[in-house]
Amino acid sequence: MRFPQLGRSSTVRSSQIFLCLVLLCAAIFVSLRLLETTNFVNKVMVSTINNSLNCPDGNNTRTCPANNDLTRLRKSNDQGPSTPRCPNYFRWIHEDLRPWKETGITLDMVERANRTANFRLVILDGRAYVQTYIKGFQTRDNFTQWGILQLLRRYPGRVPDLDLMFDCVDWPVIRSADYPGSEAKTPPPLFRYCGDSETLDIVFPDWSFWGWPETDIGPWEIMSEEIIEGNKKSRWKDREPYAYWKGNPKVAEKRKELLKCNVSDQEDWNARIFIKDWDKELEQGSTQSGLTDQCQYRYKIYIEGSAWSVSQKYILACDSVCLVVTPRYYDFFTRGLMPMEHYWPIREDDKCKSIKFAVDYGNIHELKAQTMTGAANKFVQEDLHMDYVYDYMFHLLSEYSKLLRYKPTIPENAIELCPEAMACPAKGLANKYMRESLVTAPIDRNPCTMLPPYDKKGLRLYNMVKESSLKRVRTWENNYWNSE
């Protein structure tokens, strides 16, 4: 049997197809090798980028190097691994930016916010520039700027260009009553550490997440781990069965009133109150915060100072029941806390009786009390992990940038931020905390997945659940004291 012969044209065509396949395979192989090489180079660069600050002896200059290795890795991790959903308190980013949702943010609006701002921050092409108006109290402004710089190093090239004003003073100042109705002038966007129901200031993580040298409180990433580790020294049921508070009562009348709840020869309100004189300790050169040693009580009291207080996150980490005296202000994460789930609410108008009832109730219902401490501790370890602090900053600044209706430019007299310019001239604890909180490499994942805003029904439900819990506790208290 004879097999049919292939013609010359068929043979040539087969050879061409075979050659094309060979070339295609070769191209794929080379591409993969180039991709691997690029990733390898990026990984090598990442592993060797500023793992330690390069501060020559006697270098007190505030200049930044011309070459910034991290900016050369821009967009390198845009397609990183999938990430979990952001914690629920991220939803409040939408609410904080809602005043500008329809109008956007113009240059005039931003510049009108400089009335009380400490500094103006501009981010361009992954680099940060700061124009200082008024020096912030202590090192608040320095460590806030340091935190923003670490965000840029964590997500190089991912933070969009923006222009904002930042006020480091405690009290929010953009009153919503000054901008009523749709025909009113749009409020100036002003960033700060806290807000309340009567103001429109944009809430941002406070400076203490990267360190507070004046009070000897280190970066949150370190302090939270130390406090949580210290919790293991004593079980909740073996701790002092009282409510504990230590702080400066001079800053607010409500704190002075709290002193009346201390144990005395005439009355025991189940509270143990201690005064901490920061001014005296600063004069003596000793500002030991002792946060890791203040978890020996079953209950810890959170009460605001002149405005909100940075202390709440340390109290929540303590694995004690957090007794929250009715707050006026909120910071970026506390809107994710619910009464009777993460903390026990304390009446502001009758603190002593309210504290005594809370402690008596918890000591009788130990399982319920420990369930609350567990929920608070879980919130701190999971939802308030430093990863999420950075992701909150990332999403807030990204959403804010989308609202800008102009191209940001570097302000006159602005200086560039970089680790060398900030940390090298710093002394003592400031230098130490900056080194401890330095981001040494970009993270190999995307930020958490942002949540949509609350709809009207969801926001109403949130407020109803919160108010219902507060009313329930008030009823318990009233019944308790009526029976007494």
Side-chain angles (χ1 to χ4, degrees):
M1 180 177 181
R2 296 181 63 185
F3 291 96
Q5 292 184 354
L6 294 175
R8 175 179 172 81
S9 59
S10 298
T11 304
V12 171
R13 189 161 50 250
S14 298
S15 299
Q16 289 175 340
I17 293 173
F18 177 75
L19 180 61
C20 288
L21 289 173
V22 171
L23 291 175
L24 179 61
C25 291
I28 293 174
F29 177 78
V30 171
S31 298
L32 289 174
R33 293 297 296 172
L34 286 173
L35 181 60
E36 290 176 1
T37 302
T38 301
N39 289 338
F40 174 75
V41 170
N42 275 347
K43 289 178 181 178
V44 171
M45 288 179 65
V46 168
S47 65
T48 58
I49 289 171
N50 298 334
N51 283 332
S52 60
L53 291 171
N54 181 20
C55 297
D57 293 340
N59 176 21
N60 288 319
T61 61
R62 293 185 176 272
T63 58
C64 296
N67 295 323
N68 185 338
D69 289 333
L70 282 173
T71 61
R72 296 208 299 268
L73 294 175
R74 295 196 310 129
K75 306 297 183 183
S76 64
N77 60 343
D78 275 359
Q79 303 300 322
S82 59
T83 54
R85 194 182 74 162
C86 299
N88 277 332
Y89 64 82
F90 278 58
R91 290 183 185 273
W92 293 97
I93 290 175
H94 302 291
E95 299 304 315
D96 286 351
L97 297 178
R98 191 174 296 279
W100 303 275
K101 181 180 179 181
E102 300 298 330
T103 64
I105 296 173
T106 65
L107 177 60
D108 172 69
M109 293 177 192
V110 171
E111 291 183 336
R112 280 194 285 117
N114 71 356
R115 184 174 60 87
T116 64
N118 290 95
F119 64 85
R120 182 176 189 170
L121 171 78
V122 170
I123 295 176
L124 287 177
D125 296 325
R127 289 175 177 262
Y129 305 86
V130 168
Q131 180 182 16
T132 300
Y133 299 122
I134 304 172
K135 179 71 183 72
F137 177 64
Q138 296 180 342
T139 51
R140 290 185 177 194
D141 50 352
N142 301 83
F143 276 86
T144 299
Q145 294 164 14
W146 177 260
I148 293 170
L149 179 59
Q150 304 318 301
L151 174 68
L152 298 180
R153 293 166 63 80
R154 182 181 177 89
Y155 292 120
R158 304 287 300 279
V159 181
D161 295 350
L162 56 85
D163 180 10
L164 62 83
M165 296 286 182
F166 206 108
D167 188 337
C168 300
V169 178
D170 285 350
W171 313 279
V173 296
I174 309 299
R175 298 174 62 247
S176 55
D178 294 337
Y179 305 93
S182 58
E183 301 301 321
K185 195 173 184 180
T186 306
L190 181 63
F191 285 70
R192 71 175 345 99
Y193 308 120
C194 73
D196 64 20
S197 61
E198 299 177 357
T199 55
L200 302 172
D201 301 58
I202 302 170
V203 180
F204 195 82
D206 70 79
W207 72 95
S208 67
F209 281 94
W210 297 273
W212 190 359
E214 290 80 10
T215 59
D216 196 11
I217 295 178
W220 171 242
E221 191 165 18
I222 295 175
M223 294 301 302
S224 59
E225 291 178 358
E226 289 183 355
I227 295 173
I228 291 170
E229 187 64 27
N231 292 337
K232 300 176 182 177
K233 295 179 180 178
S234 61
R235 296 182 303 170
W236 184 87
K237 65 182 304 180
D238 296 331
R239 297 182 182 185
E240 295 288 333
Y242 304 108
Y244 170 93
W245 183 81
K246 186 174 185 179
N248 180 10
K250 298 178 183 178
V251 296
E253 191 63 32
K254 63 181 73 174
R255 288 192 173 184
K256 294 178 182 177
E257 293 171 357
L258 181 64
L259 298 180
K260 300 175 183 177
C261 303
N262 211 354
V263 61
S264 66
D265 294 337
Q266 291 76 35
E267 197 70 66
D268 187 351
W269 298 107
N270 289 335
R272 301 297 182 261
I273 311 297
F274 301 89
I275 296 175
K276 187 172 183 64
D277 192 334
W278 292 106
D279 295 333
K280 184 177 181 180
E281 292 188 12
L282 283 170
E283 290 176 5
Q284 297 173 346
S286 172
T287 56
Q288 295 294 321
S289 62
L291 290 177
T292 57
D293 300 323
Q294 295 180 15
C295 299
Q296 295 120 3
Y297 290 79
R298 291 184 180 180
Y299 310 86
K300 290 196 69 175
I301 300 169
Y302 169 76
I303 185 169
E304 295 175 333
S306 55
W308 113 110
S309 170
V310 304
S311 64
Q312 190 163 9
K313 57 181 175 291
Y314 307 112
I315 294 173
L316 290 168
C318 226
D319 207 20
S320 302
V321 177
C322 183
L323 307 183
V324 177
V325 179
T326 306
R328 171 180 174 179
Y329 302 94
Y330 54 78
D331 64 11
F332 79 101
F333 74 86
T334 51
R335 289 174 287 186
L337 301 172
M338 292 299 289
M340 302 310 292
E341 179 182 353
H342 301 102
Y343 67 89
W344 184 287
I346 298 296
R347 300 173 60 144
E348 185 177 14
D349 58 351
D350 204 350
K351 300 177 186 64
C352 300
K353 284 187 174 181
S354 193
I355 290 171
K356 180 173 175 56
F357 170 73
V359 172
D360 282 345
Y361 185 95
N363 286 339
I364 294 172
H365 304 88
E366 291 188 358
L367 183 58
K368 291 183 178 180
Q370 291 180 73
T371 299
M372 197 177 301
T373 67
N377 205 258
K378 182 180 179 181
F379 180 91
V380 167
Q381 294 190 50
E382 297 181 5
D383 291 358
L384 200 56
H385 190 277
M386 203 63 200
D387 285 344
Y388 284 130
V389 177
Y390 279 122
D391 283 1
Y392 188 94
M393 296 162 62
F394 177 87
H395 283 301
L396 173 59
L397 295 181
S398 296
E399 295 299 319
Y400 172 84
S401 175
K402 293 176 185 177
L403 298 172
L404 295 184
R405 298 295 181 260
Y406 65 97
K407 173 67 176 176
T409 57
I410 302 173
E412 187 179 357
N413 301 322
I415 62 170
E416 184 179 359
L417 295 180
C418 65
E420 291 78 12
M422 296 194 72
C424 292
K427 305 297 182 184
L429 290 177
N431 181 278
K432 178 177 183 289
Y433 294 157
M434 285 183 178
R435 289 178 181 274
E436 289 178 346
S437 58
L438 177 70
V439 170
T440 59
I443 192 168
D444 60 352
R445 67 161 178 81
N446 284 321
C448 63
T449 303
M450 185 60 175
L451 298 171
Y454 282 111
D455 56 22
K456 290 184 179 180
K457 182 179 179 181
L459 198 56
R460 186 165 59 249
L461 179 62
Y462 167 87
N463 290 323
M464 285 177 56
V465 171
K466 189 172 184 178
E467 187 60 31
S468 175
S469 297
L470 295 174
K471 286 182 177 179
R472 185 164 69 252
V473 175
R474 300 294 178 262
T475 300
W476 292 349
E477 283 187 21
N478 293 336
N479 292 339
Y480 175 84
W481 289 108
N482 288 337
S483 65
E484 288 289 307

